[in-house]
Amino acid sequence: MSDESPPARPRGLAVYNFSSSWFLIPQGTSIVAVILHQLNYQFGALPILAKIVWIYAIVLLGLALGIYITRVCLFPRHVLCEIRRNVVEASCLSSVPIAFTSIIQMITLQYTGGAELATYVLWWISTFFSILGVIAVPYTQLKMQPSGIEHIPPSFLLPVISILTSAAGGGIICDNSSLSARLQVPAIIVSYMELGTGIALAICIDACIIYHHFDQIYPQYDKAYQDMVLCGPFGQASTALQVLGMAVQHSFGQYNRGTLLTETAASPIAAVSEFAGLLAWGFGTFWWLFAILSIGYTLYVQSGGWRNVSFSLTAWSLIFPWGVYTNGAVQLGKLMDSPAFDVWSTALLLMLVVMWIVVNVLTLKGIATGKILGLENGWRVPKSEQQTV
């Protein structure tokens, strides 16, 4: 299948170069809104700030979807070739259901009544696309893209994070709504099944990525930020296990069928789930520290050191994994009534907000200059075309 040639005019070229990596922006922004709303240490303006960031995430997701759909309509063969040949392009499409699920979580946390049922329906739609992604992206990688561990970047974990985000979303919706047990229990069961899929896949993919780290001779500077993605699956799994454990306690007793979905079984299932959430967060802590050291070392040893650090959309890989790791700490603080986790999650959030602001500013600067969209001459129309107009 042939690829379309890139257009000459800046606007067309910008759309042509608009990759799925742009969906990392609403993905990261949405988790910041969730944490701001969930943080233990609340003050008067924080819920308002959380709502502003949430609305900003909705706008960003809408804009990114609109431009990407335009790209698909204008350059269908180019987009299809990119998805088939580039695992990052395929993987980052999973950022759409990730961002969407985080956005609908905020609806559950803020509104009641009819919004609860609407959120429940939207969650099932998001879950469908998350399951589709976790099947389609690995299949595409195995069957259509180059073989070898070196072709499995950390971004390959995004479909796994998507299905774990869906599980966390199911737990939050069930734990924070007044929906009947007949509606909640199917969502809880599916969420646990997603956890079984996501955690197992995350362990397998992490093993391949860490092996590649040992196998490579020189660090890859252009992929340095992606190492933070490694802590994403376990931070999100921790949140999912905790909130699902809390949801089980009040749902299974009301449902009361069989031997598993009963009030008697609810307490031990909830306790095991919540304890497993602590274990998952511990594993996420290892990957969080590993990523910080790996990113710092890679950027330091590059030619020119820290002064030569350049910005690209991969920097957004820092935000969402850091966010879900922070959210796991927030939930542990609530679960154990622990001041230590409350303080640590607040410190993590402060660092996250600073990083989020910085990458937002750098992204806007990159858009203004056109460099982040692959426009070598900026937004100016080439002189050859100006003369013909």
Side-chain angles (χ1 to χ4, degrees):
M1 182 176 291
S2 61
D3 191 4
E4 289 108 334
S5 59
R9 284 188 170 269
R11 290 182 182 178
L13 184 58
V15 174
Y16 183 88
N17 292 331
F18 193 88
S19 69
S20 60
S21 297
W22 284 88
F23 292 120
L24 294 172
I25 301 177
Q27 170 186 295
T29 302
S30 60
I31 194 63
V32 172
V34 171
I35 302 168
L36 288 171
H37 191 278
Q38 293 280 80
L39 192 68
N40 183 65
Y41 298 128
Q42 292 283 325
F43 57 91
L46 200 57
I48 299 174
L49 181 60
K51 183 170 289 188
I52 292 172
V53 176
W54 172 59
I55 294 171
Y56 180 47
I58 295 172
V59 173
L60 288 173
L61 181 60
L63 285 173
L65 277 172
I67 299 173
Y68 196 83
I69 292 171
T70 301
R71 181 190 187 217
V72 172
C73 293
L74 294 178
F75 313 105
R77 288 180 294 176
H78 168 64
V79 175
L80 184 58
C81 286
E82 282 294 298
I83 292 173
R84 290 182 59 183
R85 295 182 305 200
N86 187 350
V87 66
V88 176
E89 180 76 22
S91 297
C92 286
L93 289 175
S94 296
S95 295
V96 177
I98 293 174
F100 184 64
T101 303
S102 299
I103 287 170
I104 64 176
Q105 285 179 35
M106 281 292 289
I107 302 176
T108 298
L109 294 171
Q110 296 178 99
Y111 304 105
T112 57
E116 294 179 347
L117 184 59
T119 305
Y120 181 79
V121 174
L122 290 172
W123 176 81
W124 280 107
I125 296 172
S126 178
T127 297
F128 169 77
F129 285 107
S130 295
I131 295 173
L132 181 64
V134 85
I135 295 172
V137 174
Y139 179 84
T140 302
Q141 168 69 14
L142 291 171
K143 299 296 183 180
M144 301 181 185
Q145 294 174 359
S147 60
I149 289 180
E150 66 274 12
H151 297 292
I152 303 180
S155 60
F156 191 58
L157 284 165
L158 283 172
V160 177
I161 296 176
S162 177
I163 202 170
L164 292 171
T165 302
S166 174
I172 288 174
I173 289 170
C174 293
D175 187 48
N176 291 276
S177 70
S178 57
L179 295 172
S180 67
R182 292 183 63 184
L183 292 176
Q184 290 190 25
V185 169
I188 292 172
I189 297 301
V190 170
S191 296
Y192 271 117
M193 293 170 65
E194 290 178 310
L195 274 169
T197 300
I199 293 174
L201 281 173
I203 293 172
C204 293
I205 296 171
D206 277 1
C208 294
I209 294 172
I210 196 70
Y211 175 78
H212 178 50
H213 271 285
F214 284 121
D215 188 54
Q216 67 183 1
I217 300 175
Y218 302 105
Q220 297 175 305
Y221 311 115
D222 58 330
K223 298 180 180 178
Y225 299 114
Q226 289 189 31
D227 282 342
M228 187 57 70
V229 180
L230 294 168
C231 87
F234 302 100
Q236 193 67 290
S238 173
T239 301
L241 286 163
Q242 292 177 68
V243 295
L244 284 170
M246 291 185 286
V248 161
Q249 291 183 345
H250 60 77
S251 297
F252 280 16
Q254 297 176 26
Y255 196 75
N256 199 32
R257 292 188 182 181
T259 57
L260 180 65
L261 308 177
T262 62
E263 186 175 4
T264 304
S267 293
I269 291 174
V272 170
S273 182
E274 292 164 358
F275 181 69
L278 178 61
L279 297 180
W281 191 83
F283 197 19
T285 301
F286 164 77
W287 287 117
W288 180 75
L289 291 169
F290 175 87
I292 291 175
L293 293 173
S294 177
I295 294 169
Y297 174 77
T298 301
L299 296 179
Y300 177 74
V301 299
Q302 70 175 332
S303 178
W306 290 102
R307 295 182 179 180
N308 201 32
V309 174
S310 59
F311 177 77
S312 67
L313 284 176
T314 57
W316 279 96
S317 302
L318 296 169
I319 305 301
F320 188 84
W322 191 300
V324 293
Y325 174 71
T326 303
N327 201 26
V330 171
Q331 297 298 330
L332 284 169
K334 295 180 178 180
L335 189 68
M336 298 187 288
D337 192 19
S338 169
F341 275 103
D342 291 339
V343 172
W344 179 232
S345 60
T346 302
L348 288 170
L349 175 60
L350 291 174
M351 291 184 281
L352 175 64
V353 169
V354 171
M355 287 192 299
W356 176 73
I357 293 173
V358 169
V359 294
N360 262 288
V361 171
L362 293 175
T363 301
L364 291 173
K365 180 182 177 181
I367 293 173
T369 60
K371 292 182 179 180
I372 201 170
L373 288 163
L375 305 180
E376 296 180 1
N377 299 316
W379 292 96
R380 294 174 298 176
V381 177
K383 293 182 178 179
S384 57
E385 289 198 14
Q386 289 178 358
Q387 295 173 356
T388 60
V389 175

